[in-house]
Amino acid sequence: MKVVSTIEDVRAQVKAWKKEGCTIGYVPTMGYLHEGHASLMERARKENDKVVVSIFVNPMQFGPTEDLASYPRDLEKDSVLCEKMGVDLIFHPEPEEMYHEGFSSFVDMTVLTEELCGLSRPVHFRGVCTVVCKFFHIVTPDRAYFGQKDAQQLAVIRHMVDDLSMDIEIVGCPIVREEDGLAKSSRNTYLSAEERKAALILSKSIALGKKMAEDGEKDTTTIVNAMTKLIETEPLAKIDYVKAVDGLTMQQIKEVKKPMLVAIAVYIGKTRLIDNFILE
Ligand code: PAF
């Protein structure tokens, strides 16, 4: 496995692989990798000749009051996991490599970014779209792998690829959970022991909403209200949003339809966690 930090080195390696007729699978990450990322790498490994993982804490997708400085980083541990998962190349650029002086071009999106995390994190998706678009141009993958835990991000990336006619297959992979239900996230490491217990309220409310929808509840407000009530029983939890949206447009819906995304963002202490379910 190679670890490189320049765009030039990635391009040279990918060019050589493509010359040999290899297909490229790509997993974009911000590092501090866990089993959720491993599941993306595993899928990429199965479906492609070569696997590239980028590890880059992208400053552009963090708001001024968010956790950019404290976001966990551990390249050594990440490299061990990548090696174990059969990754061929890690791209680990410095911010200056991605955003040179005078950088002033951005990829932005309307509609899909108006709800959910787009509302609470106004600059987030512009940063995600810009960096992912840039990585796509550098890595030129055949397929790129994203987790369903960031369901809005997955929908946004699919839409960007379609809108901008990018010749890349976007593969969405299921949420990976801890044994007790908590969705895996690099941000789980921020939680104290007490907060870790309290954080279970997210997956519990997701399970409740999912059961209601699957049992035939048609009114999204009834589902959202029941989930909200349950989350409010946890003293350490503060709701950012609990919403039911159209699974493609990310616009709020009143009546249950398919595909529907029910997504939540909840602060446990100072840590903002997200979770969701999709009714296909
Ligand atoms: O999901 C993430 O880790 C990030 O948003 C991504 C896709 C790597 C872009 O920085």
Side-chain angles (χ1 to χ4, degrees), residues 2 38 81-82 84 88 114 125 139 149 171 184 192 205 208-211 217-218 231 246 253 255 262 264 270 279-280:
K2 270 190 177 175
L81 180 67
C82 288
K84 186 176 145 210
D88 298 285
E114 284 163 4
F125 286 113
V139 179
K149 189 176 81 75
V171 183
K184 300 254 184 194
S192 68
S205 83
L208 171 68
K210 188 160 186 263
K211 182 159 188 328
E217 177 56 60
K218 288 278 167 267
I231 299 169
D246 178 297
I253 49 174
E255 240 181 66
V262 176
I264 64 178
K270 285 197 172 128
L279 202 65
E280 299 277 11

Side-chain angles (χ1 to χ4, degrees), residues 109-177:
M109 190 177 294
T110 57
V111 187
L112 272 79
T113 60
E114 284 163 4
E115 277 289 350
L116 311 174
C117 290
L119 257 188
S120 353
R121 306 183 69 191
V123 299
H124 179 65
F125 286 113
R126 176 169 124 137
V128 169
C129 286
T130 302
V131 83
V132 170
C133 179
K134 209 170 146 73
F135 276 127
F136 282 175
H137 282 115
I138 296 164
V139 179
T140 62
D142 297 277
R143 295 176 197 86
Y145 297 80
F146 291 84
Q148 191 65 60
K149 189 176 81 75
D150 295 294
Q152 188 177 17
Q153 169 172 279
L154 176 56
V156 164
I157 298 295
R158 281 193 201 286
H159 203 78
M160 175 184 80
V161 162
D162 186 40
D163 276 354
L164 302 183
S165 308
M166 297 174 168
D167 190 15
I168 299 169
E169 185 189 334
I170 301 301
V171 183
C173 301
I175 296 177
V176 179
R177 295 181 181 279

Side-chain angles (χ1 to χ4, degrees), residues 225-239:
N225 285 350
M227 292 171 68
T228 302
K229 249 187 164 173
L230 179 60
I231 299 169
E232 284 172 350
T233 62
E234 172 49 64
L236 293 183
K238 195 172 138 264
I239 293 174

Side-chain angles (χ1 to χ4, degrees), residues 259-274:
M260 172 177 78
L261 167 69
V262 176
I264 64 178
V266 178
Y267 284 93
I268 301 292
K270 285 197 172 128
T271 307
R272 185 178 178 277
L273 300 175
I274 57 173

Side-chain angles (χ1 to χ4, degrees), residues 4-269:
V4 302
S5 59
T6 69
I7 294 170
E8 201 185 340
D9 284 346
V10 179
R11 288 213 162 117
Q13 181 59 82
V14 169
K15 229 181 191 172
W17 283 334
K18 288 204 170 174
K19 232 178 172 178
E20 293 166 15
C22 295
T23 56
I24 314 287
Y26 170 51
V27 182
T29 81
M30 297 208 300
Y32 219 72
L33 306 175
H34 49 68
E35 288 90 334
H37 298 109
S39 74
L40 308 182
M41 295 180 212
E42 190 179 12
R43 179 99 185 255
R45 181 66 284 160
K46 272 192 198 136
E47 297 179 351
N48 303 276
D49 298 316
K50 300 291 177 189
V51 177
V52 178
V53 170
S54 61
I55 296 177
F56 179 60
V57 182
N58 174 33
M60 201 189 282
Q61 69 189 71
F62 288 77
T65 59
E66 293 180 358
D67 57 344
L68 172 63
S70 58
Y71 197 85
R73 294 158 167 92
D74 191 341
L75 182 61
E76 224 169 273
K77 201 164 144 250
D78 289 349
S79 304
V80 172
L81 180 67
C82 288
E83 181 94 61
K84 186 176 145 210
M85 299 311 296
V87 169
D88 298 285
L89 180 75
I90 293 180
F91 178 34
H92 177 58
E94 291 298 324
E96 301 74 44
E97 180 70 6
M98 293 298 283
Y99 304 119
H100 56 72
E101 219 190 304
F103 185 95
S104 51
S105 304
F106 303 91
V107 181
D108 213 345
M109 190 177 294
T110 57
V111 187
L112 272 79
T113 60
E114 284 163 4
E115 277 289 350
L116 311 174
C117 290
L119 257 188
S120 353
R121 306 183 69 191
V123 299
H124 179 65
F125 286 113
R126 176 169 124 137
V128 169
C129 286
T130 302
V131 83
V132 170
C133 179
K134 209 170 146 73
F135 276 127
F136 282 175
H137 282 115
I138 296 164
V139 179
T140 62
D142 297 277
R143 295 176 197 86
Y145 297 80
F146 291 84
Q148 191 65 60
K149 189 176 81 75
D150 295 294
Q152 188 177 17
Q153 169 172 279
L154 176 56
V156 164
I157 298 295
R158 281 193 201 286
H159 203 78
M160 175 184 80
V161 162
D162 186 40
D163 276 354
L164 302 183
S165 308
M166 297 174 168
D167 190 15
I168 299 169
E169 185 189 334
I170 301 301
V171 183
C173 301
I175 296 177
V176 179
R177 295 181 181 279
E178 303 283 356
E179 249 170 52
D180 59 7
L182 181 67
K184 300 254 184 194
S185 164
S186 307
R187 289 189 168 99
N188 290 349
T189 52
Y190 295 151
L191 302 169
S192 68
E194 193 191 0
E195 289 170 343
R196 173 65 184 76
K197 267 190 214 148
L200 285 182
I201 204 66
L202 278 94
S203 51
K204 282 184 186 157
S205 83
I206 289 296
L208 171 68
K210 188 160 186 263
K211 182 159 188 328
M212 289 174 77
E214 286 173 354
D215 285 353
E217 177 56 60
K218 288 278 167 267
D219 180 17
T220 61
T221 309
T222 308
I223 296 173
V224 164
N225 285 350
M227 292 171 68
T228 302
K229 249 187 164 173
L230 179 60
I231 299 169
E232 284 172 350
T233 62
E234 172 49 64
L236 293 183
K238 195 172 138 264
I239 293 174
D240 179 357
Y241 64 74
V242 179
K243 281 182 184 170
V245 298
D246 178 297
L248 297 175
T249 65
M250 303 286 114
Q251 299 296 299
Q252 282 202 71
I253 49 174
K254 287 208 160 78
E255 240 181 66
V256 171
K257 57 164 291 214
K258 293 177 185 177
M260 172 177 78
L261 167 69
V262 176
I264 64 178
V266 178
Y267 284 93
I268 301 292

